[in-house]
Amino acid sequence: MIRSDTVPKKKLHYHIEVDRPKTISMVLHSAFKRLFDIVMSLIGILLLSPVWIIIGLLIKRDSPGPVFFWGARAGRNGKTFKIMKFRTMYERPESYAGPRVTAKDDNRITPLGAWLRYTKINELPQLFNVLKGEMSLVGPRPEDVEIAKTWPEDARREILSVTPGITSPASILYHDEEKMLTKGNLMEDYFQSILPDKMRLDRLYVRYHSFFTDLDIIFWTLAVLIPRLANAKIPEGYLFAGPFSRLIYRYINWFLIDIVVAALAVGSASLLWRPQLGAESTSQAYIILASCWEFCSAQ
């Protein structure tokens, strides 16, 4: 946990309301993304529940204390929520009094906790946050509330305009963040060396994300968990244009556009041969076709 003396003081109104004009493609994308989150989080919870029981028993055996940890995080529009993780630290006052950012060989972390953090298994209970709608599978990683208050106003407004996620481009590039930090200058190193770049990556995600880039990020997240690939340097551009996006943009997207163009041609021809169609029916047909075109173009 971050003490008050480790975070620069900055008095800000924390709750954010972002008023953006929403297009049809944005509404469709948000609805499909939420549906995908619900389905995948339910599947994950059902499949992993036996594993979670075993992990819970190991945590109780490893050290006294609860199985889960709940921490305050900055959610969408600045709304605070409780993130859920497997507990990886000793249940002692110093675990809560010290900084929330951790470095390698942090003496607050239990032996089992070190393994859970290395494998990222401690993050799996966040599927419940996803199911509740507090998080998404993919999105900017939710930051500690006190750290989020130190962000520049424009960055806070942009990053917190979307639902935070279990994984993100920043969490992939900094999956070994603890190795980059030292206990001597922990908070200073984090604020100067890591946080600015993570914010930059989060802002890029907010601006350019789509359903297919989300699939790419999930793919790369699973890839860096493989020991042989854990130390591989993934080019930044591949995070936003990985195998799924390239496949869609090169082949499938053009196929969808061809379908829409063909439908427009058929619709226009039918209007020429059937002038008895009313103006209302005509306008409705074009609205549907225009919506399909906008959605395909956005993806």
Side-chain angles (χ1 to χ4, degrees):
M1 185 177 294
I2 295 176
R3 300 188 302 270
S4 58
D5 60 340
T6 62
V7 179
K9 300 294 185 182
K10 194 172 183 181
K11 190 174 181 180
L12 293 169
H13 295 290
Y14 188 56
H15 189 72
I16 299 173
E17 292 292 344
V18 178
D19 186 16
R20 288 184 176 182
K22 293 186 177 181
T23 63
I24 295 175
S25 64
M26 290 174 63
V27 173
L28 291 175
H29 170 73
S30 297
F32 190 76
K33 182 179 175 71
R34 179 58 187 146
L35 177 63
F36 182 76
D37 284 342
I38 293 174
V39 172
M40 298 307 295
S41 61
L42 275 174
I43 293 175
I45 291 171
L46 292 174
L47 293 179
L48 296 173
S49 54
V51 179
W52 291 0
I53 294 174
I54 297 174
I55 293 174
L57 294 174
L58 292 175
I59 291 174
K60 298 296 287 186
R61 183 179 179 180
D62 184 56
S63 64
V67 172
F68 298 105
F69 164 80
W70 286 269
R73 294 293 186 271
R76 186 170 186 173
N77 295 333
K79 183 178 180 180
T80 302
F81 73 98
K82 295 288 187 179
I83 195 171
M84 186 177 180
K85 300 183 179 184
F86 284 120
R87 179 177 62 86
T88 59
M89 292 187 177
Y90 291 103
E91 191 69 8
R92 299 171 181 170
E94 55 265 29
S95 296
Y96 293 92
R100 189 173 299 274
V101 177
T102 55
K104 185 180 178 181
D105 299 327
D106 192 316
N107 55 17
R108 297 174 298 169
I109 300 175
T110 67
L112 177 63
W115 178 77
L116 293 175
R117 296 169 79 95
Y118 175 75
T119 59
K120 306 302 181 184
I121 291 177
N122 66 312
E123 310 284 358
L124 290 178
Q126 290 161 43
L127 289 173
F128 285 103
N129 292 115
V130 174
L131 188 60
K132 291 169 64 177
E134 297 168 332
M135 294 179 64
S136 178
L137 292 176
V138 182
R141 282 295 295 167
E143 188 60 273
D144 179 86
V145 172
E146 296 301 320
I147 293 181
K149 288 180 181 179
T150 68
W151 292 351
E153 179 64 24
D154 59 333
R156 284 196 327 125
R157 181 171 294 275
E158 185 171 20
I159 294 172
L160 299 182
S161 68
V162 299
T163 305
I166 294 180
T167 185
S168 68
S171 64
I172 294 172
L173 290 184
Y174 289 94
H175 67 278
D176 56 350
E177 175 184 305
E178 293 183 357
K179 296 180 180 179
M180 305 178 184
L181 298 170
T182 58
K183 290 189 290 185
N185 299 303
L186 180 56
M187 296 306 299
E188 183 179 353
D189 288 345
Y190 181 74
F191 277 109
Q192 293 183 359
S193 304
I194 293 180
L195 183 60
D197 195 47
K198 290 174 71 174
M199 292 171 58
R200 178 185 66 84
L201 292 167
D202 286 342
R203 298 181 78 171
L204 286 175
Y205 172 81
V206 173
R207 296 171 191 175
Y208 302 113
H209 74 281
S210 69
F211 175 71
F212 302 112
T213 58
D214 283 358
L215 293 181
D216 288 330
I217 293 169
I218 293 174
F219 169 79
W220 290 119
T221 300
L222 297 175
V224 297
L225 295 179
I226 301 173
R228 289 189 176 183
L229 299 178
N231 296 325
K233 183 67 175 179
I234 301 173
E236 184 177 309
Y238 277 45
L239 296 174
F240 299 95
F244 289 98
S245 296
R246 292 169 185 267
L247 174 65
I248 295 299
Y249 293 146
R250 286 184 181 180
Y251 303 107
I252 300 179
N253 202 38
W254 282 108
F255 176 72
L256 293 176
I257 292 175
D258 287 343
I259 292 177
V260 174
V261 171
L264 285 170
V266 172
S268 300
S270 64
L271 291 177
L272 294 175
W273 289 99
R274 298 180 63 184
Q276 67 271 25
L277 281 176
E280 183 178 352
S281 299
T282 303
S283 61
Q284 290 177 351
Y286 275 113
I287 288 174
I288 294 174
L289 291 172
S291 301
C292 295
W293 174 269
E294 183 180 6
F295 180 71
C296 293
S297 300
Q299 297 302 314

